[in-house]
Structures are given as C-alpha cells and as structure tokens.
Amino acid sequence: MRRNARPDSPDLPALRRRATRLRRHMLEMARGQGQGYIGQGLGIADLLAALYFQELRYDPDDPAWPERDRFLLSTGHYSIALWAALAEAGVLPVDELATYGADDSRLEMSTLDTTPGVEMIGGSLGHGLGQAVGQALGLRLSRSEARVFVELSDGEMQEGSTWEAAMSASHFRLDGLVALIDCNGIQADGPMVLDMEPVAAKWRAFGWEVGEIDGNDMDAVVGALMLARKANGRPKAIVLRTTPGKGVARIEASEKAHFFRIDVAEWDGIIAAFEASTGAAP
C-alpha cells in the first residue's frame, strides 16, 4: 500500500514543482497529437498538484480503495490534466501518457470511467455536481469519512442541472462535498457567452460556504483546500480564477485557447520556451 495521507504542513515548493511537472507532461501529450485541450489543463495544474499531493486520500496501487476521497472531473475534456496527475501520482504509468488521444488508448481526449483513477465520465457537461452529490450521500449512508471533490467550470454554471444539484447539496448539509469551480472565462468559441458574475455570491445564495482565490497561486489553493476540511454542515465551494495556458506565454496570449492545434515543430518551440521559463530540465 502507498496510501496518500493529508499532511498538516504543506510543502509549497514541492507542490509547485509537481505543478511544473504536470504542465510538462501535458505539453508532451499535446505535442504527440499536435493538439488538445491544453489551455484548460495548464490552467488547473496547480489545483491538481495540490489535490493529488496534499489533500486527497487515495491508494495509487488500489484506485478503487473504498475509503478513498473521490475526485470527479466534470469537464471531461480537461482529461489531459487528469492523465498527467494520475501518472505523476503513480496510478498510471508515465510512459502511457504518450498514447494520449491515440486509437485504442485508455487516455482519450475526454474521460472514460474504465481508466484507473477516473470516477465519472465527464464528456457531457453539467452532470458532475449531481453525481458528486449522489456519491456524497452514498458515503454518508455507508458512514464513510471519505470526501468528494468535484471540478466544474464557469461554463457549466449555465446548465440548470448544476443549480439543482447545488440546491440539494446545501439541503442535505453535505459538508464532505467540495466544488472546485474553474473560472477561466472561456468557452468553445472564445469568451463566456453568458455573464455568470458574481460567481461567489451565487453559490453563497444557495447555502454554500464559499472561498474565492487565484487558482494559479499555490499558497492560496492549498489554504482554501485546508479551510474546506471543516465539518460544519455546509458544502464548500472554491471559486478558482485561472489563466488558460498558464505558464506558456503563447497559449496564454491566444484568443482561441479552448482547443489548441499547431504543428509539431511549433510545439517543440513552445516546450523549449517553457523549459527556459521554469529554469529546470525535464
């Protein structure tokens, strides 16, 4: 067993290094296919590093361990980030990342629950929070202390099912449920179609305890996750303001960061620039 436990004193420099490694994995995966949902993945690398190497309880040798905390990736097209995290955590072989998006690969561009470490299929948006509420209720009925974390996007807040689930979570006082809301300001064709602000106030109005942070500030991410441990009868929401393509200047500057497609030679340049900016070898 190699069960990950929650340390009380986070090692922030180590977590930042993990986030850098996650971004490096993602860039290599995107280069292999010449394309991918890389902007979103780079944006949530800090969150996934904090989750998998600080907050979540899990066993990489037994992804179905009954007492594990659950992490649900509602935005299934962010799979490039989840694959990087699962490989870095030892759930998947790092070498398998090279198969991202290939025919017959377990690592598709949207998640499948047949892949070890995946808790839900997230290809159809707007269903993650509802599934998280159901899992949290099930864990309560089984008297488990495991918690449920669900990532969803600002775009998903335009789905009515999200708010039905948000209302039920506060009604059932699911204080072991944590919603991680990636507010990166983009949708498929550019900026958000509907203005969802003020995001934090909306969640508070539904009875949630809410924090709002810079989702690319590791100190803030870890601090918010630690505060969300409180068992106070209220579900927790963390609104993360993230930058699509974080850490890669060209993708950060792109107006079309939802799905990034360029040729292999250009990917080489992007990766070289990333390595130079991080000041570290792979």
Side-chain angles (χ1 to χ4, degrees):
M1 293 185 298
R2 293 183 292 154
R3 290 176 181 167
N4 189 59
R6 290 193 297 268
D8 291 326
S9 299
D11 185 342
L12 292 173
L15 291 172
R16 293 187 185 103
R17 289 192 295 271
R18 289 285 193 180
T20 296
R21 287 180 59 83
L22 296 187
R23 290 186 168 101
R24 184 179 291 116
H25 288 320
M26 290 182 230
L27 289 169
E28 293 289 351
M29 280 187 274
R31 176 172 62 176
Q33 283 292 313
Q35 59 189 2
Y37 294 96
I38 186 71
Q40 300 93 324
L42 294 170
I44 66 164
D46 303 290
L47 170 64
L48 292 191
L51 281 172
Y52 278 91
F53 303 101
Q54 167 67 25
E55 195 63 23
L56 293 179
R57 294 187 311 161
Y58 63 94
D59 184 346
D61 296 325
D62 182 11
W65 175 43
E67 294 305 311
R68 72 192 182 281
D69 291 331
R70 275 69 168 169
F71 172 63
L72 282 66
L73 185 75
S74 185
T75 54
H77 59 294
Y78 286 30
S79 67
I80 194 168
L82 182 58
W83 306 148
L86 291 175
E88 189 70 11
V91 178
L92 299 172
V94 172
D95 290 348
E96 191 173 353
L97 296 180
T99 71
Y100 170 70
D103 290 344
D104 299 321
S105 172
R106 296 192 298 177
L107 311 184
E108 296 201 11
M109 288 192 181
S110 193
T111 51
L112 292 176
D113 60 358
T114 52
T115 306
V118 175
E119 300 286 356
M120 66 166 282
I121 299 173
S124 182
L125 298 180
H127 300 296
L129 187 60
Q131 293 194 46
V133 168
Q135 292 195 24
L137 281 169
L139 289 167
R140 175 189 286 175
L141 289 171
S142 64
R143 299 187 179 181
S144 171
E145 295 183 358
R147 295 193 297 160
V148 179
F149 298 78
V150 56
E151 178 276 340
L152 61 151
S153 67
D154 43 10
E156 282 188 280
M157 291 191 299
Q158 297 170 12
E159 301 273 3
S161 55
T162 296
W163 298 109
E164 292 175 22
M167 181 168 53
S168 65
S170 59
H171 172 78
F172 290 116
R173 301 175 61 83
L174 297 177
D175 56 11
L177 173 63
V178 183
L180 307 161
I181 306 154
D182 179 29
C183 290
N184 61 21
I186 63 169
Q187 289 186 263
D189 295 319
M192 292 281 291
V193 175
L194 298 178
D195 182 5
M196 297 306 298
E197 300 298 340
V199 173
K202 286 182 171 66
W203 287 85
R204 290 191 185 100
F206 274 73
W208 290 59
E209 184 171 305
V210 184
E212 185 168 10
I213 61 170
D214 177 349
N216 297 126
D217 178 339
M218 185 62 75
D219 196 355
V221 173
V222 170
L225 288 171
M226 293 180 74
L227 286 173
R229 296 176 185 177
K230 291 185 295 184
N232 59 1
R234 299 176 68 189
K236 315 301 189 298
I238 303 174
V239 178
L240 300 113
R241 303 291 179 173
T242 64
T243 300
K246 181 66 178 178
V248 180
R250 174 166 177 180
I251 303 177
E252 285 188 34
S254 174
E255 294 182 359
K256 294 287 187 179
H258 180 75
F259 188 82
F260 206 69
R261 180 186 291 112
I262 57 176
D263 65 38
V264 172
E266 289 179 284
W267 279 113
D268 289 342
I270 284 176
I271 292 173
F274 173 78
E275 297 295 354
S277 70
T278 61

